[in-house]
Amino acid sequence: GAGVSQSPSNKVTEKGKDVELRCDPISGHTALYWYRQSLGQGLEFLIYFQGNSAPDKSGLPSDRFSAERTGGSVSTLTIQRTQQEDSAVYLCASSLGGVGNTIYFGEGSWLTVV
Amino acid sequence: SQQGEEDPQALSIQEGENATMNCSYKTSINNLQWYRQNSGRGLVHLILIRSNEREKHSGRLRVTLDTSKKSSSLLITASRAADTASYFCATGASGSARQLTFGSGTQLTVLP
């Protein structure tokens, strides 16, 4: 597609439920990133995929968070047993990979846990 | 941890004036990127400057990089109300393509 596509754009869920957020990167981009942004804050790195390499999961805040990237393209971020502090915008981004390449962001998925 | 830190946190100017935002960082970088974000949604890439570059222009934007001071500035000339947004700098670490590290942003308000 023309840009990074994320779905859903908005999700309200009850505390304790699981949620899945989807990211469809720009075609041909080998690198895919997930970030989280709480209200009025900067971006917090969550996870990074590059080609067939093992993902960098160093930013995942707890074992309730996991992410997959199937076939080197679409990625799903899963949050199990959601908590109110998980409420944030979850931003996906992709790039051609390698150092110094521009990273392009999707519009984000706004998650509200009630 | 935050690598880039923007200054000021908030800036309010009149339309037509220039806006300058600064970014400081701590470790060696390969590149520094500036992004814009409207209303908490997706980030739009504005400009990338590499560590061996000192200045870059794109339309009304001018970015400078001083690696000796570990700082960068973003200048928006002849600002417009539509420039109202949050602006973030993000640093790419030397030798690593893993991630960009973002600051907490500058909220720019351009008054008509």
Side-chain angles (χ1 to χ4, degrees), chain A residues 28-50:
Chain A
H29 279 192
T30 58
L32 187 147
Y33 307 75
W34 283 98
Y35 287 85
R36 176 170 73 173
Q37 185 180 30
S38 300
L39 188 63
Q41 302 297 312
L43 273 72
E44 175 189 2
F45 168 77
L46 296 178
I47 189 168
Y48 163 71
F49 296 90
Q50 171 56 52

Side-chain angles (χ1 to χ4, degrees), chain A residues 9-10 31 33 35 37 40-43 45 48 56 58 89 91 97-110, chain B residues 2 30-31 33 35 37 39-45 48 50 88 92-105:
Chain A
S9 56
N10 289 285
Y33 307 75
Y35 287 85
Q37 185 180 30
Q41 302 297 312
L43 273 72
F45 168 77
Y48 163 71
D56 178 352
S58 60
V89 176
L91 291 157
V99 178
N101 281 298
T102 299
I103 297 178
Y104 297 91
F105 282 81
E107 286 295 303
S109 291
W110 187 283
Chain B
Q2 298 289 0
N30 171 274
N31 66 86
Q33 305 187 33
Y35 287 83
Q37 184 180 41
S39 302
R41 302 305 297 202
L43 276 73
V44 174
H45 182 261
L48 180 154
R50 302 187 191 281
F88 293 87
S94 292
S96 171
R98 290 161 63 189
Q99 56 176 286
L100 292 179
T101 306
F102 286 80
S104 53

Side-chain angles (χ1 to χ4, degrees), chain B residues 14-94:
Chain B
Q14 294 294 133
E15 205 164 26
E17 294 181 338
N18 296 341
T20 299
M21 289 160 273
N22 302 297
C23 170
S24 60
Y25 57 93
K26 297 177 182 175
T27 61
S28 295
I29 64 169
N30 171 274
N31 66 86
L32 187 145
Q33 305 187 33
W34 283 92
Y35 287 83
R36 163 196 168 124
Q37 184 180 41
N38 291 346
S39 302
R41 302 305 297 202
L43 276 73
V44 174
H45 182 261
L46 295 177
I47 199 161
L48 180 154
I49 186 166
R50 302 187 191 281
S51 60
N52 61 353
E53 297 175 311
R54 291 296 166 259
E55 187 170 311
K56 223 169 174 182
H57 297 255
S58 176
R60 293 184 296 112
L61 306 180
R62 181 173 80 102
V63 168
T64 62
L65 179 64
D66 187 335
T67 53
S68 66
K69 295 181 179 178
K70 291 186 168 58
S71 68
S72 173
S73 68
L74 170 66
L75 169 68
I76 304 175
T77 60
S79 63
R80 306 167 182 168
D83 294 329
T84 296
S86 293
Y87 292 82
F88 293 87
C89 70
T91 52
S94 292

